[in-house]
Amino acid sequence: MTKRALITGITGQDGSYLAEHLLSLGYEVHGLVRRVALEDPARRFQRIAHLLDKVTLHAASLESYPSLFHVVSQVEFSECYHLAAQSFVAESFTDGFSTMNTNINGTHYMLAALRELRPKCRFYFAGSSEMFGKVAETPQTETTRFHPRSPYGISKVAGFELTRNYREAYGMYCSSGLLFNHEGPRRGYEFVTRKITSTAARIKLGLAEELKLGNLEAQRDWGHAKDYVRAMHLMLQQERPDDYVVATGETHTVREFCERAFGEVGLDYREYVKIDERFLRPAEVDLLIGDARKAREELGWEPEYTFAEMIREMVAADLEAAQLEGGRAAHFSASRV
Ligand code: G4F
């Protein structure tokens, strides 16, 4: 029988990779999108443009229980991947209220709707290494104490606890992934990796002159999103629901990321990167490094990309985009002469 999955956040980096993965496994894939996205498909559906004839989209808002209830009542899903969230940590300091509202209530609404209508549906919650925050131990595992450092991190701890509570209180199959940073050429430009690779490419082609960043000494365990969505799927195929750390087990500084990304285009980052205090956070997560032994042993999950390969792929994609941008700019100025 064809398996049917619902992905919230299907238009994002992870949602688009997960949709591709599930389609390749023969799933019928449904995605939840905001109504505004349906009205602006060229921009909002960029990452899933190539999938639009293969997936079914439903309009709903994480802020509206009735809209989520309606979608869940429409189709018989056997798996639900709840990825939608306000996921930019810096933005959560600017507007903590809306981050909390979307991330906590959105998760609660999804769980409540499933409990009411599809209690047998398996649920995946996108937990985050931001939950470890000011880390209590290194490396971080499934048993490391949480100490979130941002409204975003706090909202993810709440979502994680709600997911665990639905599992324990109602016997539902609810699992959380404690995913460390995961990147790729579909990453949003506001996140540091994509900001670095896209600006390095633009500087190389003469389209930008410098790159303004905040804390260069922060350390992150960066993996590739394509690898991490495989882990999400595996978590819902186990006999029992559980929580898993997904990480590479390597950590690198933002500075090192800059060095490698600029190195890919033959430039020395020290000549272009400037510190701008606007990009410092009121409270920082200094060091993240995950121990994914449980995922390796129980799920049989392994990351395929190395750190260097991921950066190479991102820079190559951004060089291609910058070339198109440069071509368009040249065409525009030539047509004005
Ligand atoms: O790329 P970032 O914004 O990612 P961050 O805050 O680690 O969060 C990401 O990973 C989490 C998993 O741990 C996810 F849950 C979350 O949704 C998101 O995907 O920042 C990475 C580091 C930070 O220490 C930040 O202070 O880079 C530092 N940084 C330095 N300059 C900067 C900048 N970050 C951004 N976004 N922009 C800068 O200019």
Side-chain angles (χ1 to χ4, degrees), residues 13 86-90 126-131 152 156 179-183 187 189-196 211-222 254 276 279-281 284-286 288:
Q13 168 187 255
Q86 193 302 96
S87 64
F88 186 34
V89 174
S128 159
S129 52
E130 271 294 302
M131 289 152 52
Y152 169 82
K156 284 289 171 178
L179 266 56
F180 283 62
N181 297 49
H182 42 288
E183 320 293 314
R187 189 57 148 149
Y189 291 96
E190 66 274 38
F191 297 96
V192 79
T193 54
R194 189 75 195 279
K195 187 172 169 182
I196 297 168
L211 168 61
K212 291 183 176 169
L213 293 176
N215 179 13
L216 297 189
E217 308 317 326
Q219 288 174 268
R220 289 290 182 277
D221 179 332
W222 278 295
V254 172
D276 184 331
F279 298 111
L280 296 174
R281 296 176 181 178
E284 176 65 288
V285 171
D286 296 319
L288 290 174

Side-chain angles (χ1 to χ4, degrees), residues 19 27 38 40-41 61 63 94 108 128 136 154 186 198 212 231 236 238 248 255 281 288 292 308 321:
Y27 276 70
L38 290 168
D40 184 10
S61 159
E63 273 116 53
T94 312
H108 200 180
S128 159
I154 296 166
R186 297 185 192 169
S198 62
K212 291 183 176 169
L236 296 199
Q238 304 308 301
T248 69
R255 183 183 295 284
R281 296 176 181 178
L288 290 174

Side-chain angles (χ1 to χ4, degrees), residues 230-241:
R230 285 191 289 107
M232 297 176 187
H233 172 254
L234 288 169
M235 281 180 222
L236 296 199
Q237 314 312 310
Q238 304 308 301
E239 209 173 303
R240 273 184 299 278

Side-chain angles (χ1 to χ4, degrees), residues 26-275:
Y27 276 70
E28 183 180 310
V29 175
H30 294 251
L32 201 134
V33 295
R34 277 175 290 178
R35 193 160 293 285
V36 285
L38 290 168
E39 285 158 10
D40 184 10
R43 200 165 69 82
R44 310 262 188 170
F45 294 161
Q46 258 172 21
R47 296 185 183 96
I48 54 165
H50 59 299
L51 303 176
L52 286 176
D53 57 346
K54 300 188 186 80
V55 299
T56 309
L57 300 178
H58 305 266
S61 159
L62 283 190
E63 273 116 53
S64 153
Y65 181 68
S67 75
L68 296 174
F69 190 91
H70 179 71
V71 172
V72 175
S73 73
Q74 293 294 295
V75 191
E76 221 172 297
F77 315 105
S78 54
E79 294 173 16
C80 172
Y81 297 86
H82 179 45
L83 313 183
Q86 193 302 96
S87 64
F88 186 34
V89 174
E91 167 63 19
S92 80
F93 285 108
T94 312
D95 188 355
F97 295 102
S98 78
T99 300
M100 294 282 188
N101 192 22
T102 308
N103 294 4
I104 303 178
N105 290 342
T107 304
H108 200 180
Y109 292 156
M110 278 311 298
L111 283 163
L114 288 174
R115 180 184 168 218
E116 190 68 26
L117 298 163
R118 313 218 173 279
K120 294 266 176 289
C121 177
R122 296 184 169 203
F123 180 80
Y124 171 82
F125 173 67
S128 159
S129 52
E130 271 294 302
M131 289 152 52
F132 298 120
K134 192 172 164 58
V135 298
E137 60 179 351
T138 295
Q140 295 84 53
T141 72
E142 292 78 7
T143 56
T144 302
R145 185 167 49 77
F146 297 141
H147 185 149
R149 297 268 282 169
S150 61
Y152 169 82
I154 296 166
S155 75
K156 284 289 171 178
V157 171
F160 175 88
E161 296 297 355
L162 278 164
T163 303
R164 178 154 62 187
N165 191 239
Y166 268 69
R167 177 165 81 216
E168 292 174 358
Y170 309 118
M172 288 168 61
Y173 190 116
C174 299
S175 294
S176 290
L178 295 150
L179 266 56
F180 283 62
N181 297 49
H182 42 288
E183 320 293 314
R186 297 185 192 169
R187 189 57 148 149
Y189 291 96
E190 66 274 38
F191 297 96
V192 79
T193 54
R194 189 75 195 279
K195 187 172 169 182
I196 297 168
T197 58
S198 62
T199 313
R202 296 184 75 244
I203 291 174
K204 177 69 181 174
L205 297 188
L207 297 166
E209 286 170 1
E210 60 178 18
L211 168 61
K212 291 183 176 169
L213 293 176
N215 179 13
L216 297 189
E217 308 317 326
Q219 288 174 268
R220 289 290 182 277
D221 179 332
W222 278 295
H224 197 297
K226 229 175 174 175
D227 282 337
Y228 287 30
V229 300
R230 285 191 289 107
M232 297 176 187
H233 172 254
L234 288 169
M235 281 180 222
L236 296 199
Q237 314 312 310
Q238 304 308 301
E239 209 173 303
R240 273 184 299 278
D242 207 344
D243 308 318
Y244 297 87
V245 159
V246 180
T248 69
E250 268 181 39
T251 194
H252 302 271
T253 58
V254 172
R255 183 183 295 284
E256 193 184 339
F257 196 103
C258 288
E259 191 180 344
R260 285 179 183 250
F262 278 80
E264 282 293 321
V265 292
L267 298 176
D268 183 342
Y269 81 97
R270 289 171 296 187
E271 292 173 28
Y272 304 97
V273 172
K274 307 277 178 298
I275 303 300

